[in-house]
C-alpha cells in the first residue's frame, strides 16, 4: 500500500527553516558606493578538455555571486570563443 502522506520538507526535516530573499540578503554585506571589483576577491575557473558549457556557467555564477575578478582558464586551442 502506498503512503498517502505527501512528502514535504517539513515531514523530512521538522527543524528545517525556509529562507526568503530578505533573510538571504541580510547575510551579505552591502557594497559601498566607492568600492571597486578589487575589493571583492577573485575567482579562477580552470577548465579541462570537453564541453565549454560548465565553465561558462561557473563563471556566470561567480559574477552573479559578487566576485570581483573572475578568470576563465582554458587549454590552448581547445575552444573557439
Amino acid at each position: 500500500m502506498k503512503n498517502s502522506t505527501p512528502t514535504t520538507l517539513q515531514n523530512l526535516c521538522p527543524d528545517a527553516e525556509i529562507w526568503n530573499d530578505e533573510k538571504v540578503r541580510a547575510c551579505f554585506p552591502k557594497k559601498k558606493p566607492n568600492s571597486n571589483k578589487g575589493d571583492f576577491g577573485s575567482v579562477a575557473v580552470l577548465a579541462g578538455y570537453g564541453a565549454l558549457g560548465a565553465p561558462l556557467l561557473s563563471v556566470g555564477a561567480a559574477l552573479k555571486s559578487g566576485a570581483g575578478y573572475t578568470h576563465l582558464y582554458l587549454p590552448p586551442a581547445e575552444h573557439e570563443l
Side-chain angles (χ1 to χ4, degrees):
M1 183 171 181
K2 193 172 185 179
N3 187 353
S4 62
T5 305
T7 302
T8 63
L9 180 60
Q10 196 66 36
N11 294 119
L12 293 173
C13 186
D15 297 331
E17 186 178 335
I18 298 176
W19 286 27
N20 59 17
D21 290 349
E22 185 178 315
K23 196 165 187 175
V24 172
R25 283 192 185 105
C27 294
F28 294 94
K30 293 189 191 281
K31 292 184 176 184
K32 296 176 186 172
N34 63 344
S35 62
N36 64 58
K37 61 185 169 187
D39 295 331
F40 300 103
S42 61
V43 173
V45 177
L46 309 174
Y49 293 100
L52 188 56
L56 290 177
L57 288 171
S58 297
V59 167
L63 292 171
K64 281 189 171 191
S65 69
Y69 290 104
T70 303
H71 307 272
L72 173 60
Y73 296 98
L74 299 169
E78 175 65 19
H79 301 286
E80 290 183 29
L81 296 177

